[in-house]
């Protein structure tokens, strides 16, 4: 009889252990249930999927960004946060710098990294296709500091080449 009790309590323990992660485990956030009530920048629709308020994320914020054809955001930065942008659809043009003097483009499948405090602007480089991106930031809070920057007329193009493979046209 004691053997039976033992196995029973052991089973209970396992059951309790199984439940431990039930409501604190993996979370699926359906794409049609994102939270659009996040700090935004003119010209851009941001929607939060992963943030502290929704899922208790402590170190990450993630969501989507869509920018209408031919639209661009105001100049802004994200304080101490690092940002990663993944382009899902469309053509992204990024401008950055104290007077937005640098530019680079990214298309579907490309990743963009934006370091802390870098003034930047996201531009939809397509006249007829919505730019859709996934955005991940290094903190559970959403920070967007909008800046009043007078942009230079013609930004300098910066090619996406890693430090090992230099642009052959670049001056030594």
């Amino acid at each position: 009889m004691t053997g039976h009790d033992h196995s029973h309590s052991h089973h209970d323990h396992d059951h309790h252990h199984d439940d431990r992660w039930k409501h604190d485990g993996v979370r699926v956030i359906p794409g049609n249930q994102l939270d659009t009530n996040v700090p935004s920048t003119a010209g851009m629709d941001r929607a939060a999927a992963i943030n502290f308020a929704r899922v208790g994320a402590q170190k990450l914020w993630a969501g989507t960004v869509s920018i209408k054809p031919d639209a661009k955001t105001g100049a802004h930065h994200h304080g101490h946060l690092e940002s990663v942008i993944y382009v899902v659809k469309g053509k992204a043009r990024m401008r950055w710098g104290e007077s937005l003097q640098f530019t680079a483009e990214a298309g579907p499948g490309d990743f963009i990294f934006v370091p802390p405090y870098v003034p930047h602007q996201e531009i939809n480089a397509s006249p007829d296709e919505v730019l859709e991106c996934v955005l991940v930031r290094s903190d559970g809070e959403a920070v967007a500091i909008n800046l009043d920057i007078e942009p230079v007329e013609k930004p300098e193009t910066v090619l996406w080449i890693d430090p090992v493979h230099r642009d052959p046209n670049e001056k030594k």
Side-chain angles (χ1 to χ4, degrees), residues 62-76:
T64 58
V65 168
S66 68
I67 300 180
K68 295 174 185 66
D70 262 342
K72 61 183 182 218
T73 70
H76 61 282

Side-chain angles (χ1 to χ4, degrees), residues 164-172:
V164 180
H165 303 92
R166 303 309 305 191
D167 176 1
N169 304 318
E170 191 181 332
K171 309 274 182 296
K172 285 281 179 284

Side-chain angles (χ1 to χ4, degrees), residues 27-94:
R27 301 281 295 272
V28 172
I29 297 90
N32 61 0
Q33 292 175 27
L34 305 192
D35 178 7
T36 52
N37 185 25
V38 292
S40 215
T41 299
M44 163 187 282
D45 293 317
R46 289 195 187 111
I50 312 296
N51 59 15
F52 181 75
R54 296 205 55 159
V55 297
Q58 305 280 342
K59 299 185 173 72
L60 286 173
W61 185 100
T64 58
V65 168
S66 68
I67 300 180
K68 295 174 185 66
D70 262 342
K72 61 183 182 218
T73 70
H76 61 282
H77 70 73
H78 300 288
H80 64 283
L81 307 184
E82 295 179 336
S83 302
V84 170
I85 301 166
Y86 175 78
V87 182
V88 176
K89 184 180 173 202
K91 188 177 184 188
R93 180 178 299 134
M94 299 291 290

Side-chain angles (χ1 to χ4, degrees), residues 12 18 36 46 48 58 61 75 84 95 98 102 106 112 129 146 162:
D12 277 357
D18 290 345
T36 52
R46 289 195 187 111
Q58 305 280 342
W61 185 100
V84 170
R95 289 184 63 172
E98 291 301 325
F102 306 113
I112 301 164
E129 190 180 19
N146 294 316
D162 64 72

Side-chain angles (χ1 to χ4, degrees), residues 113-131:
F113 174 65
V114 183
Y117 301 105
V118 174
H120 63 284
Q121 174 186 49
E122 285 100 340
I123 299 163
N124 184 341
S126 164
D128 48 22
E129 190 180 19
V130 172
L131 171 62

Side-chain angles (χ1 to χ4, degrees), residues 17 53 82 85 111 116 133 149 162:
H17 194 68
E82 295 179 336
I85 301 166
F111 286 84
C133 302
I149 286 181
D162 64 72

